[in-house]
Every structure is written in structure tokens, then in C-alpha cells.
Amino acid sequence: MLWETVTLAFITIIRNKLRTFLTVLGVVIGVAAVIAMVTIGQGSSQQVNASVAALGTNVLTARPGTRGFGPPTAGAPAPRFTLKDAEALAVLPQVVYAAPVVSTTQNVVFGNANASTQVYGTSGAYQLVQNWPLSAGRSFDPSEESAGAAVCVLGQSVSTKLFGGSDPLGQSIRVKNVSCLVLGVLVARGAGSFGQDQDDVVLMPVKAVQRRMEGNTDVDSIAVALRKSVSAADGIKAVQQVLRERRRIGLTQSDNFSVSDMKELSNMLGGINAVLTGLLSSVAAVSLLVGGIGIMNIMLVSVTERTREIGIRLAVGASAGQVLLQFLVEAVVLSLLGGAIGIALGLAIAFGGSIFMAIPFAPSAAVVALAFGFSALVGVVFGYFPARRAARLDPIEALRHQ
Amino acid sequence: MAALIQFADVQRHYGKGEAEVRALDGVDLSIQAGEFVAIMGPSGSGKSTAMNIIGCLDRPSAGKYLFQGVEVQDLDQDRRALLRRHCLGFVFQGFNLLARQSALENVELPLIYKGMAKSDRVARAQAALEKVGLAGRAHHDPSQLSGGQQQRVAIARALASDAMVILADEPTGNLDSQRSHEIMQLLQALNRDGITIVMVTHEEDIAAYAQRLLVFTDGKLSHDQPTPPLTRQGA
């Protein structure tokens, strides 16, 4: 009986292809939107977690100013760090490496090729803190560092942009006005926490950037790697103490710098991600509701159109329950059809989106199952009222209906 | 032996107070298994109401309706559906076939509600179509069949479900006279095979196919007699 009812529902649905398509469109859009949002949201949170894990969990970043991220606060800018600050942190017992970072955006040129890229003036310790090995060549050695030699290590993206497939080692590129010898190439790292290309980078000795490009001795931030046995909280405390002393901050004064660990970054990004995903998904869920109302509307029309059919069915012995079941199954089949198309469409959108945004494609079986279940629920909830109306028809009246 | 169909002071009222209409106003009748009964009467006489009550599509307001000796006037909707499903077959003036479903599927319809398996259904529906002379039209839609053929499909639908009573409400009302007589001869043949037939009509020559004539007037049974042998058709 149930099987016949399902078959009948399919026949009815196939017979009115255009109407079926328009009826399920609302559910398709709703489910597709929810699936796409959640899948992309999960992909980007995986991306955040992966890039944070790649940085190492025991990495701290010290920045001038009281805010960890975002634009600097109003008022007098906090004093910059110096190379001495980084050296002082490097000798702490809790610290393995400390690397000063001067960051600047510069135009780099090789032959006819040029690109705008991020230039980091730092020490060899930077690669150790970042856990970022070379794929070819070597890094700058201590003598090149202390001399501020015009040498550089390229990120994969820069290397590709300037050299295409050919070997960059031993070539000279121009960074701003400085001719730099390419010593090595970093391994590819992919997109960062904010979706930025981490490989679009050139590493140079910090003194070279300070003297030849920036014309000062400021350090923008200090990246610190803690010993494995040291907790992030203890490490932050030690780093803060040293920096407060060096910056001569009184006991009653608050810090004019910030020290953050990756967990903080990860939590913050994860939180933003969750809020955005939740917000977009609930907007999408509203369209699912609208889709359900569309199904109810069409089912009501269908019951009126098929009043005579219902009368015939009742006359040959269908019970009210069987008529109810027929229309309910039809509504559920419609919404499940919409759900299935929506899931396929949503996953396709998420797949395209993940390629476009360079984040992992993270389809979740649980979310797909939930969306499918939810569309069945939409069918039952919005199909029940029309089905009950059909089942309650008086057979005599229904048979007389023209 | 109890009558197949028995009315005891059956009343059916519509509306209340001043506007009350007494469609049936105290009807007693009994129909034995195997009878072929024609019901006549002017419009508004209550003949259709009586048919609807016999067919368990409607319930009497008062009085008793016994089917095979069992009181059925107080059965709820689902139990009346069961009775229709297993004991009764309907043939309507307007054929009432499902459009866009083949003759075979239409005949299968009551069997679906009986919960019969697909292969059994098809075999039975085929046999029923054969019996009404439409074996070759099983896969035609109602729109591809003539009125007479559509009515045969409707009769096959009643046959397939093993109905012991066929209730025919003006079965020839939409047919020309030749088709009408063919349909009546078919019903007569089925009656000879033991199926009880109750038919509403307003044409005397159609009523003449029955063995017994009931005439309703103003909600009451005014005549109950065998059809005059002289006019009896096909006997």
C-alpha cells in the first residue's frame, strides 16, 4: 500500500514537470543555501585550525600597541620594538627562538616580470619559529644577517610570478631599489587564516630592510617560539615582564604592547567564523520555510483540482487515512526531491567556493543527513494540512465536483 | 435467511427547523441477494439519497440499515470504507474513471486498497476487463474510449473487487440508446452470475431490465412490485 502510494506520488510529480520544478524550487534554494553556507563555514574553520597548527601551538607574537589585531588605537602611537628587544627575548630560558619582523609591501622585479609582494625583514630564526622549511637553496647566514646583505629567500608564489618554471637560485631580483641575490625558495604553505596567500612573501635580513628600504631601526613585531615544556600563559608572562622592563613601564602603568598566542588568534577567528556561518545559515533556513509554504500552496491547489479523483478513491473503498497518506507522501516526496537537488546544488556551490577561496572542501555527512531530514520534515509539516483537507472530503460531494 | 439489504424506517433529514428537508421519510425495504432492482422516482423523491445510504456513502438520520443482517447505520467513516471496499461496487452516470490512468489501472484501483500484490492485481483486472469485452483496450486511457467502453471499465472495476452488490446510479444516462441496451445486457448477465444489482434510472425501458421496481415519491417508497412481465427486457 505504501509502495503504491509512493509510486503514485512519483507518477503525479513526473506528470506535472514544470509545476513540480516551480514547487520544489523554494526548498531547493533553501537547502542549497544552508548546505553551501555550512560546508564553506566548516572548510574555513578547518583552514584556520590547519594554519594555526602549522604555526605551532607554542608561538607567541609581540606587537606594539595594546590591541592584538586590527588598526592601531587613537592617540600617540606606541613606541616600536628594536632588534635589542628581540635579542633580549631570545635569551629567556622559556624561549627557543625569537625573530624580529619588519614587514613592508614592495614591488619586486625580475626581467620583464614584476609583482607587488610582502617583504619580511627578519632573521634566520623566523623560519624556525614558523616551522617553515626551504624547498631549495639556503637561508641567509649570521654574517649576512649582521651585515644586512642584499640577499633574499622567496615564497613559492613570488618565485612562480617572477621566474615561472625556471630556477631562481643565484639570480638577482630588484626589491624596491635594491638588487638582491636569491639564496633559496620556501616550501608552499597555501592560504592563511584570513584567506591571504602566505606564499606571496620575500624574506630578507632585517637590517637590509631597515637600512635600505625603511630607513629606520624599528621592528614591527617579534615572533617567539616557546620551549615545548612551557605553557603559553607562562611564556606570555615572561615575555611581558622583559618587555615592560625594557620599555620602562611603571608598576601602575598598563602595557603599551600586546603578546598574543596562536590559541587566541584561533579562538577569535573560529568565533567570527561560527557567528558568520550561523547568521548566513539562519537566513538560508528562512528560505527553506518559504519553500515549505510553497509546497503547501501547491498541495492545496492539487487537492481542489483532484476532488473528483478523491471521491472516486473513497467510493471504491479508500479510507480517509489512505487518502491522507497519499497526499502526505506526495508532499514529502516533493520536498525530499527538492532537498536532494538542493544538497547536490549546495555541495557544488561549496566546492566551487572552496576552490575560489582556497580553503578545504569539507562536506559533512551529518549536515547532509540533517538537511535531508529537515526537508522531509518540511514536507510532513506543510503537507499535513492539505492532506487532511483531502481526507475529510465528503465522498458524495467530491463525486459531484466538476 | 436475512435480506442482503434491509431498511427499517430509514430517515434522512437535511438542515434544521423550518428549513428541514426530509429526503427520506421513513422507508422500509428489503432486497435479497441475487435480485436486480430498479429504483425510479421524480427528482427530489429521495432515490439518490437511498442509493447513497445503501452504498454507505451517507448515513441515515434515524432508522436502521442492515447489510447481511448486520446494523451498519452507525459505522464510522473508516468502517464504511471497508464495507465499500469489500462488498460494494459503484457504477455512475458520469463513469467516474481516473483520467490519465489506463483502463487496467482504473480497474486495479480498488484492489490497491485491498492490499493485493501487483501481479495478482493485474491478473484480476485483466480477467474483469475480459468479462466486459474490453480485453484489447486495457492500456487505453479513458479519453481514448467511447462512453459505452468507459462504462464497461467502470463495471469491470466493480467486478474486479468481487463486489456482491453493484450500485448503478443512472448507468445509461450519458449513453445513446444502443450503448444503453448493451450495458444493460451486460448488467443482466452479471446478475445471472449471482451479483445483486441496484440501479437508479428514470427511463422505463432501462428499468424494464430489472426484475423488481421500487418507486420513490416525496421521500417515501410508493410502489414496490415486480417489473411487468410484458415489458420485461431480455428475460
Side-chain angles (χ1 to χ4, degrees), chain A residues 40 43-44 47 190-192 194-197 347-362:
Chain A
I40 289 175
S44 74
Q47 170 70 19
F194 296 97
Q196 81 279 23
D197 181 4
L347 289 178
I349 292 170
F351 185 69
S354 63
I355 289 176
F356 183 68
M357 292 189 274
I359 59 172
F361 175 55

Side-chain angles (χ1 to χ4, degrees), chain A residues 82-104:
Chain A
T82 63
L83 289 177
K84 297 266 185 240
D85 293 327
E87 283 161 19
L89 292 180
V91 298
L92 277 173
Q94 294 92 336
V95 170
V96 197
Y97 311 110
V101 178
V102 178
S103 130
T104 166

Side-chain angles (χ1 to χ4, degrees), chain A residues 266-323:
Chain A
S266 161
N267 287 348
M268 191 192 72
L269 292 174
I272 293 172
N273 225 322
V275 168
L276 273 179
T277 304
L279 205 66
L280 292 171
S281 301
S282 37
V283 170
V286 170
S287 59
L288 196 55
L289 195 72
V290 174
I293 293 169
I295 285 184
M296 178 155 74
N297 191 9
I298 289 299
M299 289 308 295
L300 280 173
V301 170
S302 179
V303 168
T304 307
E305 271 182 356
R306 287 153 70 189
T307 298
R308 205 181 169 82
E309 176 196 325
I310 295 163
I312 295 169
R313 288 177 185 279
L314 290 170
V316 302
S319 65
Q322 285 167 326
V323 171

Side-chain angles (χ1 to χ4, degrees), chain A residues 1 4 8 15 308-309 312-320 322 326 391 393 395-396 399, chain B residues 52 57-58 77-78 81 84-85 90 92 94 96-98 100-101 109-110 112-113 121 157:
Chain A
M1 182 60 220
E4 271 82 19
L8 182 70
R15 218 170 251 159
R308 205 181 169 82
E309 176 196 325
I312 295 169
R313 288 177 185 279
L314 290 170
V316 302
S319 65
Q322 285 167 326
Q326 179 191 339
L393 284 175
I396 301 169
L399 283 167
Chain B
N52 287 337
L57 293 170
D58 199 359
Q77 206 191 2
D78 281 352
R84 289 199 295 273
R85 188 185 304 169
F90 290 86
F92 302 95
N96 275 339
L97 300 175
L98 296 182
R100 301 201 287 186
Q101 298 224 21
L109 189 64
I112 291 177
Y113 293 113
R121 288 205 309 262
R157 184 173 64 192

